[in-house]
Amino acid sequence: MKVLIATEKPFAKIAVDGIRKEIEAAGYELALLEKYTDKAQLLDAVKDANAIIIRSDIIDNEVLDAAKELKIVVRAGAGYDNVDLEAATAHGVCVMNTPGQNSNAVAELAFGLMIMAVRNFYDGKSGTELMGKKLGIHAYGNVGRNVARIAKGIGMEIYAYDAYCPKEAMEADGIIPVNTAEELYEKCNVVSLHIPATAETKNSINYELVNRMPKNGLLVNTARKEVINEADLLRLMHDRPDLKYVTDIMPVHHAEFAEQCPGRYFSTPKKMGAQTAEANINAGIAAAKQIVGFLKDGCERFRVNKK
Ligand SMILES: NC(=O)c1ccc[n+]([C@@H]2O[C@H](COP(=O)([O-])OP(=O)(O)OC[C@H]3O[C@@H](n4cnc5c(N)ncnc54)[C@H](O)[C@@H]3O)[C@@H](O)[C@H]2O)c1
């Protein structure tokens, strides 16, 4: 069995070493395609792979067509919108993610962005503190739960809205559940986004919703750019000069945000949330273990596409 690591943005060496250990201990062979610059390189590398570990790499119909021996693709990370799930199902390929492995890294970055924003991007002027402020966690999944844990230490009042997570689970963590996204935005000084990009959530963070935030509201996005209705948010930030937006996913309209909202907007130059040594290692090794479990025992825990 051949397992391919196909990473345009490579794993840290220590993570590759860890993956190799798992794969070789199972008696499989490990192949590496790193920093590829052309899709043709990927199409060639996948030809004889039985399993592929990827990061933000695109697995589309063409790649699946080329990968004749492929049984499983594991996205080392949480979001898997870079994989064409329907095409994978049509090709009989199992797709998994490695949920939870980078959640703390993303949650810590959310607070990095939050503190930078409430301290006016370190421009020398007096800022505000997070302690005592109301934090709205929009989606109480793996990252959302880590955000809640950190927010408790800071002393924030924590609210959460999740369309699918039972309220009891939030209450058990000492979080105040609300019934709708609208209620969350109305109540909270800071809203931190942790929804996935789905048909339901794309463009859902719009003028009407964010405009419900109280004066001096702060929106933090470490989720996905697609969930933001950028035209709406730009218009709202023009109409509401009190609002701030900080994001780990550079908007398509980054230049307009930067120009029109000086001192109220920041984007990381590229997605940094999961970019820590720890997350890198955890997600890579989890991916390797899931591949071994799948190939040896048929374990499909963390499968994200239909059969
Ligand atoms: N910035 C980064 O580098 C980075 C890294 C990891 C993940 N992410 C993003 O963060 C998102 C969250 O990651 P996670 O690990 O917490 O995922 P997760 O799957 O553990 O949690 C997602 C949560 O969203 C909820 N949800 C789904 N649709 C919803 C809706 N319409 N309204 C409200 N809640 C809804 C689900 O019930 C679930 O609890 C990922 O989907 C990914 O897009 C970004």
Side-chain angles (χ1 to χ4, degrees):
M1 288 283 175
K2 186 166 176 179
V3 179
L4 171 72
I5 299 179
T7 45
E8 187 250 311
K9 271 194 277 173
F11 285 109
K13 184 180 176 301
I14 184 169
V16 175
D17 291 345
I19 294 171
R20 185 181 301 283
K21 215 170 124 197
E22 296 291 335
I23 298 301
E24 291 182 351
Y28 304 152
E29 182 193 342
L30 186 76
L32 256 184
L33 173 70
E34 291 182 326
K35 293 187 188 171
Y36 58 93
T37 48
D38 200 293
K39 192 176 182 185
Q41 294 169 273
L42 178 63
L43 294 175
D44 187 52
V46 300
K47 267 188 204 150
D48 57 350
N50 303 107
I52 311 178
I53 298 175
I54 54 162
R55 300 183 76 201
S56 297
D57 307 78
I58 310 284
I59 300 293
D60 59 14
N61 199 51
E62 195 185 357
V63 176
L64 292 158
D65 271 347
K68 299 271 182 261
E69 308 299 324
L70 191 62
K71 297 181 187 335
I72 176 168
V73 175
V74 182
R75 155 53 162 139
Y80 44 84
D81 42 350
N82 48 321
V83 182
D84 185 334
L85 298 186
E86 281 181 23
T89 298
H91 284 78
V93 171
C94 172
V95 182
M96 294 185 188
N97 64 347
T98 60
Q101 303 294 334
N102 56 21
S103 309
N104 180 63
V106 180
E108 286 190 13
L109 187 88
F111 282 95
L113 292 170
M114 236 179 262
I115 291 171
M116 185 172 71
V118 297
R119 294 304 181 97
N120 299 317
F121 305 91
Y122 312 124
D123 68 351
K125 296 198 191 93
S126 178
T128 57
E129 297 178 25
L130 293 174
M131 187 166 77
K133 301 295 183 309
K134 294 185 170 72
L135 171 67
I137 301 179
H138 192 165
Y140 200 64
N142 285 297
V143 178
R145 284 196 291 274
N146 276 281
V147 165
R149 173 180 53 77
I150 298 169
K152 279 184 202 166
I154 294 178
M156 300 184 84
E157 200 176 306
I158 312 164
Y159 296 81
Y161 170 69
D162 191 296
Y164 305 101
C165 173
K167 288 206 178 78
E168 298 72 42
M170 298 178 191
E171 281 161 353
D173 291 349
I175 310 305
I176 308 162
V178 297
N179 292 319
T180 60
E182 286 74 15
E183 201 183 331
L184 191 76
Y185 285 71
E186 269 157 27
K187 278 206 158 76
C188 295
N189 309 101
V190 181
V191 171
S192 193
L193 282 170
H194 304 291
I195 40 174
T198 62
E200 190 186 13
T201 63
K202 278 182 187 162
N203 283 317
S204 67
I205 309 306
N206 57 24
Y207 191 105
E208 197 274 327
L209 184 64
V210 185
N211 194 28
R212 291 171 182 265
M213 290 191 78
K215 194 165 183 330
N216 298 326
L218 167 63
L219 181 66
V220 182
N221 183 7
T222 57
R224 281 287 181 268
K225 70 169 176 247
E226 293 83 356
V227 302
I228 303 283
N229 183 324
E230 289 188 16
D232 269 24
L233 188 57
L234 264 172
R235 193 159 53 86
L236 178 63
M237 288 186 69
H238 171 267
D239 295 352
R240 292 260 319 254
D242 59 302
L243 293 180
K244 287 182 183 161
Y245 178 50
V246 285
T247 178
D248 184 35
I249 308 94
M250 188 174 277
V252 175
H253 297 96
H254 167 70
E256 286 96 320
F257 276 103
E259 193 190 310
Q260 293 171 29
C261 314
R264 300 190 288 131
Y265 163 78
F266 173 82
S267 171
T268 52
K270 63 180 193 175
K271 195 149 65 84
M272 300 290 299
Q275 302 295 329
T276 65
E278 293 85 348
N280 208 283
I281 296 164
N282 295 349
I285 292 176
K289 286 188 170 154
Q290 287 172 219
I291 284 174
V292 173
F294 176 80
L295 293 176
K296 284 217 186 296
D297 307 318
C299 175
E300 297 201 357
R301 192 167 172 222
F302 304 126
R303 182 176 187 134
V304 291
N305 66 325
K306 293 199 182 95
K307 278 201 177 183

